[in-house]
Amino acid sequence: MSLIPARRTGRRAARRFTGRDLAVLGVLLGIPVLLDAAIVWGPTLASVMLSFTGWDGIGDIKWVGTQNYENLFTTYPQFWPAARHNLLWLAFLGLVAAPFGLLLAVLIDRGVRFSRFYQSTLYMPVVLSLAVVGFIAQLVFSRDQGALNAVIGDTGSPTDWLGDPDLNIWMVLLAAAWRHTGYVMILYLAGLKAVDPSLKEAAAIDGAGEAQTFFRIVLPTLRPVNVIVGVITVIESLRAFDIVYAVNHGRNGLELLSVLVTDNIIGEASRIGFGSAIAVVMLVVSLGFVVTYLVQELRGEKNR
């Protein structure tokens, strides 16, 4: 007889949801799911379907199979330059801007004087949209009235930083990296604050220098932040559009895949099916990185 009450008290009685609870859950979960399906996944699936058609937005939808993709990879001259520019964008943000953001985070984390001022100043570009950054780039790199030519005194035959197709991509990348560095710095600062100080003290007791402590103790601890920074960098490199469109509408050396999507869908050609094919290529590339990130995270959870 004494075992029955103990068994009953040892188990927590399963709570039954009332009709009101189910209604609240349905509203709180159902509305976001419906909005996500309508705004994100609905247009995504529609773009995938339209990429196999020759629709111009007005007439009948004509099924063309994989013809859009064949033309995209073989006969569309703007595609491969735009793809190279996106890869260059990814390499520059990943190999220059992100490490520089990590360096700034490490310096600020050491408690230098006026660290709050530096942190706020370096983060300020992040609150600006890429379109605004593009207008700022025009003010700095303009041929006739730009600040850069005025500072270096190049007035006789000023360099056309944004008009020269061999130079403008690098100038725009500098402007984009200026914004991306502050974002990366904040992420790494948050990660550095979470590093256990006892690990650094133990490394110092064992005779490790600052460089050894950072690369063998601190950097491995920042692995989750590194993965997040990597995914964000890939997304930033693929969705870059505003800054180049503000400079010269993404032409004359600043072609990007996102610009090609816009030009084909809402441009004069109005080739919605062909533009959707370019968008699907971008979707597949981005999903590859996102899926890799999710797989790594799930494996990390299992190993913990």
Side-chain angles (χ1 to χ4, degrees):
M1 296 295 293
S2 61
L3 295 177
I4 296 177
R7 188 176 299 173
R8 288 179 178 175
T9 56
R11 295 180 179 177
R12 181 174 295 179
R15 181 185 174 186
R16 294 182 178 179
F17 290 103
T18 63
R20 181 180 179 182
D21 294 335
L22 293 175
V24 171
L25 286 175
V27 171
L28 294 179
L29 295 178
I31 293 179
V33 170
L34 290 176
L35 289 176
D36 185 68
I39 298 176
V40 179
W41 291 109
T44 300
L45 295 177
S47 296
V48 174
M49 295 298 297
L50 289 174
S51 67
F52 297 99
T53 69
W55 191 41
D56 60 359
I58 299 176
D60 296 333
I61 298 178
K62 180 182 178 181
W63 185 265
V64 296
T66 60
Q67 182 179 346
N68 287 328
Y69 294 97
E70 294 175 1
N71 294 337
L72 179 64
F73 293 121
T74 58
T75 62
Y76 190 52
Q78 292 93 338
F79 175 75
W80 290 112
R84 287 195 298 269
H85 291 161
N86 276 105
L87 290 176
L88 180 61
W89 208 283
L90 173 60
F92 194 86
L93 294 185
L95 301 178
V96 177
F100 189 59
L102 174 60
L103 174 62
L104 294 176
V106 171
L107 294 177
I108 294 176
D109 185 64
R110 290 184 176 182
V112 296
R113 295 185 61 183
F114 309 114
S115 60
R116 293 290 184 184
F117 171 76
Y118 295 139
Q119 181 176 338
S120 302
T121 303
L122 294 171
Y123 184 74
M124 190 177 300
V126 181
V127 303
L128 303 176
S129 67
L130 280 174
V132 175
V133 175
F135 291 130
I136 294 175
Q138 285 184 313
L139 295 176
V140 175
F141 302 117
S142 177
R143 177 181 181 273
D144 298 322
Q145 300 177 351
L148 180 58
N149 283 335
V151 169
I152 64 179
D154 191 3
T155 57
S157 57
T159 304
D160 194 358
W161 301 102
L162 296 180
D164 189 344
D166 295 327
L167 295 176
N168 55 12
I169 185 66
W170 300 104
M171 300 301 105
V172 173
L173 281 174
L174 284 176
W178 173 57
R179 181 178 182 271
H180 190 67
T181 298
Y183 193 13
V184 172
M185 179 198 68
I186 291 297
L187 293 176
Y188 276 120
L189 268 176
L192 289 171
K193 299 297 182 184
V195 177
D196 191 354
S198 62
L199 297 176
K200 299 180 182 179
E201 296 174 359
I205 294 173
D206 292 338
E210 292 186 0
Q212 290 178 324
T213 302
F214 177 77
F215 286 105
R216 296 186 179 184
I217 303 297
V218 177
L219 193 58
T221 308
L222 294 175
R223 179 184 173 277
V225 182
N226 293 332
V227 175
I228 293 174
V229 169
V231 173
I232 291 175
T233 301
V234 172
I235 294 175
E236 286 290 328
S237 64
L238 288 176
R239 75 181 186 92
F241 169 80
D242 314 50
I243 184 171
V244 297
Y245 211 79
V247 172
N248 65 355
H249 297 282
R251 297 183 176 91
N252 190 31
L254 293 182
E255 296 84 1
L256 293 174
L257 293 178
S258 56
V259 176
L260 299 184
V261 174
T262 304
D263 288 343
N264 281 278
I265 291 181
I266 65 175
E268 295 180 359
S270 187
R271 297 192 297 175
I272 296 179
F274 190 76
S276 298
I278 304 175
V280 171
V281 172
M282 297 176 61
L283 174 65
V284 171
V285 174
S286 59
L287 282 179
F289 287 97
V290 172
V291 170
T292 302
Y293 163 71
L294 294 176
V295 170
Q296 293 293 332
E297 286 298 304
L298 292 175
R299 288 180 179 177
E301 289 293 333
K302 291 182 179 179
N303 295 331
R304 290 169 188 168

